[in-house]
PDB file of all heavy atoms in Angstrom:
ATOM      1  N   GLY A  96     165.114   7.307-135.341  1.00  0.00           N
ATOM      2  CA  GLY A  96     166.234   7.730-136.167  1.00  0.00           C
ATOM      3  C   GLY A  96     167.507   7.051-135.711  1.00  0.00           C
ATOM      4  O   GLY A  96     167.524   6.314-134.719  1.00  0.00           O
ATOM      5  N   GLN A  97     168.575   7.297-136.454  1.00  0.00           N
ATOM      6  CA  GLN A  97     169.887   6.738-136.126  1.00  0.00           C
ATOM      7  C   GLN A  97     170.892   7.876-136.030  1.00  0.00           C
ATOM      8  O   GLN A  97     170.929   8.747-136.895  1.00  0.00           O
ATOM      9  CB  GLN A  97     170.315   5.742-137.203  1.00  0.00           C
ATOM     10  CG  GLN A  97     171.699   5.152-136.991  1.00  0.00           C
ATOM     11  CD  GLN A  97     171.978   3.985-137.927  1.00  0.00           C
ATOM     12  OE1 GLN A  97     171.682   2.849-137.613  1.00  0.00           O
ATOM     13  NE2 GLN A  97     172.536   4.278-139.090  1.00  0.00           N
ATOM     14  N   LEU A  98     171.691   7.857-134.952  1.00  0.00           N
ATOM     15  CA  LEU A  98     172.657   8.929-134.710  1.00  0.00           C
ATOM     16  C   LEU A  98     174.055   8.339-134.643  1.00  0.00           C
ATOM     17  O   LEU A  98     174.416   7.670-133.680  1.00  0.00           O
ATOM     18  CB  LEU A  98     172.331   9.646-133.390  1.00  0.00           C
ATOM     19  CG  LEU A  98     173.264  10.797-133.010  1.00  0.00           C
ATOM     20  CD1 LEU A  98     173.061  11.974-133.959  1.00  0.00           C
ATOM     21  CD2 LEU A  98     173.028  11.221-131.565  1.00  0.00           C
ATOM     22  N   ASP A  99     174.853   8.583-135.678  1.00  0.00           N
ATOM     23  CA  ASP A  99     176.235   8.114-135.661  1.00  0.00           C
ATOM     24  C   ASP A  99     177.098   9.123-134.913  1.00  0.00           C
ATOM     25  O   ASP A  99     176.992  10.330-135.131  1.00  0.00           O
ATOM     26  CB  ASP A  99     176.780   7.937-137.073  1.00  0.00           C
ATOM     27  CG  ASP A  99     178.181   7.354-137.052  1.00  0.00           C
ATOM     28  OD1 ASP A  99     178.302   6.143-136.808  1.00  0.00           O
ATOM     29  OD2 ASP A  99     179.152   8.116-137.241  1.00  0.00           O
ATOM     30  N   VAL A 100     177.965   8.620-134.017  1.00  0.00           N
ATOM     31  CA  VAL A 100     178.776   9.509-133.181  1.00  0.00           C
ATOM     32  C   VAL A 100     180.268   9.350-133.467  1.00  0.00           C
ATOM     33  O   VAL A 100     181.089   9.953-132.768  1.00  0.00           O
ATOM     34  CB  VAL A 100     178.510   9.244-131.678  1.00  0.00           C
ATOM     35  CG1 VAL A 100     177.025   9.396-131.374  1.00  0.00           C
ATOM     36  CG2 VAL A 100     179.005   7.869-131.245  1.00  0.00           C
ATOM     37  N   THR A 101     180.618   8.597-134.497  1.00  0.00           N
ATOM     38  CA  THR A 101     182.020   8.241-134.748  1.00  0.00           C
ATOM     39  C   THR A 101     182.936   9.450-134.754  1.00  0.00           C
ATOM     40  O   THR A 101     183.965   9.476-134.076  1.00  0.00           O
ATOM     41  CB  THR A 101     182.150   7.488-136.090  1.00  0.00           C
ATOM     42  OG1 THR A 101     181.303   6.339-136.057  1.00  0.00           O
ATOM     43  CG2 THR A 101     183.581   7.065-136.331  1.00  0.00           C
ATOM     44  N   MET A 102     182.593  10.471-135.516  1.00  0.00           N
ATOM     45  CA  MET A 102     183.490  11.612-135.689  1.00  0.00           C
ATOM     46  C   MET A 102     183.480  12.573-134.497  1.00  0.00           C
ATOM     47  O   MET A 102     184.231  13.545-134.472  1.00  0.00           O
ATOM     48  CB  MET A 102     183.145  12.377-136.973  1.00  0.00           C
ATOM     49  CG  MET A 102     183.206  11.513-138.223  1.00  0.00           C
ATOM     50  SD  MET A 102     184.709  10.478-138.332  1.00  0.00           S
ATOM     51  CE  MET A 102     185.974  11.728-138.444  1.00  0.00           C
ATOM     52  N   PHE A 103     182.636  12.284-133.500  1.00  0.00           N
ATOM     53  CA  PHE A 103     182.575  13.136-132.307  1.00  0.00           C
ATOM     54  C   PHE A 103     183.261  12.498-131.106  1.00  0.00           C
ATOM     55  O   PHE A 103     183.305  13.087-130.038  1.00  0.00           O
ATOM     56  CB  PHE A 103     181.113  13.452-131.969  1.00  0.00           C
ATOM     57  CG  PHE A 103     180.431  14.293-133.001  1.00  0.00           C
ATOM     58  CD1 PHE A 103     179.789  13.691-134.083  1.00  0.00           C
ATOM     59  CD2 PHE A 103     180.435  15.674-132.916  1.00  0.00           C
ATOM     60  CE1 PHE A 103     179.168  14.469-135.051  1.00  0.00           C
ATOM     61  CE2 PHE A 103     179.814  16.452-133.880  1.00  0.00           C
ATOM     62  CZ  PHE A 103     179.180  15.846-134.951  1.00  0.00           C
ATOM     63  N   ARG A 104     183.797  11.284-131.293  1.00  0.00           N
ATOM     64  CA  ARG A 104     184.435  10.587-130.183  1.00  0.00           C
ATOM     65  C   ARG A 104     185.784  11.225-129.839  1.00  0.00           C
ATOM     66  O   ARG A 104     186.476  11.746-130.719  1.00  0.00           O
ATOM     67  CB  ARG A 104     184.635   9.110-130.522  1.00  0.00           C
ATOM     68  CG  ARG A 104     183.322   8.338-130.712  1.00  0.00           C
ATOM     69  CD  ARG A 104     183.583   6.847-130.756  1.00  0.00           C
ATOM     70  NE  ARG A 104     184.102   6.384-129.488  1.00  0.00           N
ATOM     71  CZ  ARG A 104     183.348   5.844-128.527  1.00  0.00           C
ATOM     72  NH1 ARG A 104     182.052   5.705-128.706  1.00  0.00           N
ATOM     73  NH2 ARG A 104     183.893   5.435-127.401  1.00  0.00           N
ATOM     74  N   ASP A 105     186.152  11.139-128.567  1.00  0.00           N
ATOM     75  CA  ASP A 105     187.447  11.682-128.152  1.00  0.00           C
ATOM     76  C   ASP A 105     188.517  10.594-128.062  1.00  0.00           C
ATOM     77  O   ASP A 105     189.631  10.854-127.617  1.00  0.00           O
ATOM     78  CB  ASP A 105     187.323  12.410-126.804  1.00  0.00           C
ATOM     79  CG  ASP A 105     186.904  11.483-125.671  1.00  0.00           C
ATOM     80  OD1 ASP A 105     186.731  10.266-125.905  1.00  0.00           O
ATOM     81  OD2 ASP A 105     186.751  11.980-124.534  1.00  0.00           O
ATOM     82  N   ASP A 106     188.165   9.370-128.484  1.00  0.00           N
ATOM     83  CA  ASP A 106     189.123   8.261-128.389  1.00  0.00           C
ATOM     84  C   ASP A 106     189.353   7.594-129.743  1.00  0.00           C
ATOM     85  O   ASP A 106     189.694   6.415-129.809  1.00  0.00           O
ATOM     86  CB  ASP A 106     188.651   7.230-127.362  1.00  0.00           C
ATOM     87  CG  ASP A 106     187.250   6.689-127.671  1.00  0.00           C
ATOM     88  OD1 ASP A 106     186.647   7.123-128.681  1.00  0.00           O
ATOM     89  OD2 ASP A 106     186.770   5.843-126.901  1.00  0.00           O
ATOM     90  N   LEU A 107     189.190   8.350-130.815  1.00  0.00           N
ATOM     91  CA  LEU A 107     189.338   7.762-132.149  1.00  0.00           C
ATOM     92  C   LEU A 107     190.715   7.143-132.355  1.00  0.00           C
ATOM     93  O   LEU A 107     190.853   6.115-133.020  1.00  0.00           O
ATOM     94  CB  LEU A 107     189.091   8.827-133.227  1.00  0.00           C
ATOM     95  CG  LEU A 107     187.628   9.140-133.559  1.00  0.00           C
ATOM     96  CD1 LEU A 107     187.551  10.276-134.564  1.00  0.00           C
ATOM     97  CD2 LEU A 107     186.916   7.913-134.088  1.00  0.00           C
TER      98      LEU A 107
END
Side-chain angles (χ1 to χ4, degrees):
Q97 177 169 271
L98 180 70
D99 184 76
V100 304
T101 303
M102 302 313 296
F103 294 88
R104 295 192 64 96
D105 63 1
D106 56 0
L107 279 176

